[in-house]
Amino acid sequence: DTEVTQTPKHLVMGMTNKKSLKCEQHMGHRAMYWYKQKAKKPPELMFVYSYEKLSINESVPSRFSPECPNSSLLNLHLHALQPEDSALYLCASTLAGTFNTEAFFGQGTRLTVV
Amino acid sequence: DAKTTQPPSMDCAEGRAANLPCNHSTISGNEYVYWYRQIHSQGPQYIIHGLKNNETNEMASLIITEDRKSSTLILPHATLRDTAVYYCIVRPQSSNYKLTFGKGTLLTVNP
């Protein structure tokens, strides 16, 4: 199984809502990533977890709250988002402990904040 | 982190080889060069990576210059399905797994 599965595929939420994005992989990867991608722009790194611990936070606003409950799951909790947070949110995973490894990406969650 | 420079767009005729250049003149000796592509509205897809030697797999070939300051991704027989944004990434080995995308090259394969 070489898939990274993201749910939901699409999400529309109001600015006062609380929602969560979910990412799952069963490749034994211990490094997992969240990216944000606006239209016609490259993916921007948000967070990296390695061995279930947050290792990189790219100065992301606190309305985005990541969580890695176990080695297969990565969540992104959303609260009080703004319309400019509408984007494609991508999850990725890699082996940990080596840089000679490819990243596997999910198909993303397309988020619209209204 | 080593910066990469890629042309914003390229065109290629279907069935011909597509050669996508990448400049990474500040690369350090132990940094890998990775290539990913992103077809419209999909997640990025890994293509190939290398350190010093040229590499080939079922998707593409990667040619890295001897001084490692530039590389070329070669798609030997481009098809319409290869139309995508291609990202060249230099991956530092001391940055806690950071994988940072540049602007990439939009390759359009024409019939």
Side-chain angles (χ1 to χ4, degrees):
Chain A
D1 182 3
T2 57
E3 278 194 357
V4 174
T5 303
Q6 290 188 244
T7 54
K9 286 186 170 43
H10 301 273
L11 178 63
V12 179
M13 63 184 289
M15 289 187 284
T16 58
N17 290 161
K18 284 184 182 180
K19 296 286 185 183
S20 297
L21 309 184
K22 181 180 171 182
C23 174
E24 192 167 4
Q25 56 85 17
H26 297 286
M27 294 178 278
H29 290 173
R30 302 297 294 278
M32 296 185 75
Y33 308 69
W34 280 116
Y35 286 84
K36 172 182 176 180
Q37 186 173 28
K38 303 282 279 184
K40 298 189 186 301
K41 298 290 187 183
E44 293 178 25
L45 184 64
M46 300 175 72
F47 303 104
V48 181
Y49 273 81
S50 60
Y51 298 99
E52 295 84 68
K53 288 186 170 47
L54 184 65
S55 63
I56 296 178
N57 176 343
E58 293 284 80
S59 303
V60 178
S62 60
R63 58 186 184 269
F64 295 92
S65 175
E67 179 197 19
C68 190
N70 61 55
S71 59
S72 299
L73 278 176
L74 185 66
N75 297 321
L76 187 62
H77 303 298
L78 313 172
H79 174 54
L81 295 193
Q82 303 297 310
E84 58 265 29
D85 296 321
S86 298
L88 180 68
Y89 288 84
L90 293 160
C91 173
S93 71
T94 67
L95 288 170
T98 174
F99 297 95
N100 183 13
T101 179
E102 65 190 273
F104 289 81
F105 284 82
Q107 293 303 296
T109 293
R110 189 160 300 281
L111 174 69
T112 303
V113 181
V114 297
Chain B
D1 295 359
K3 183 178 162 58
T4 60
T5 305
Q6 298 178 254
S9 63
M10 293 182 67
D11 285 296
C12 177
E14 190 178 18
R16 304 297 292 268
N19 296 280
L20 293 96
C22 179
N23 183 289
H24 33 79
S25 58
T26 60
I27 193 170
S28 297
N30 61 354
E31 291 179 323
Y32 287 91
V33 178
Y34 282 80
W35 284 83
Y36 288 81
R37 73 180 182 184
Q38 188 172 24
I39 296 169
H40 182 59
S41 295
Q42 297 184 20
Q45 176 191 24
Y46 165 83
I47 302 173
I48 199 166
H49 74 281
L51 184 62
K52 295 179 183 176
N53 299 321
N54 299 337
E55 302 286 346
T56 295
N57 63 20
E58 64 278 3
M59 286 183 69
S61 294
L62 173 60
I63 308 297
I64 302 174
T65 58
E66 194 168 340
D67 63 7
R68 302 187 73 240
K69 293 186 177 181
S70 66
S71 60
T72 301
L73 178 74
I74 301 172
L75 307 179
H77 305 287
T79 71
L80 299 179
R81 288 176 293 180
D82 292 322
T83 292
V85 178
Y86 287 76
Y87 296 102
C88 168
I89 300 171
V90 171
R91 190 166 193 197
Q93 293 204 34
S94 58
S95 62
N96 294 324
Y97 310 104
K98 204 167 184 177
L99 186 65
T100 304
F101 288 79
K103 295 181 181 178
T105 296
L106 173 60
L107 174 69
T108 303
V109 180
N110 300 304

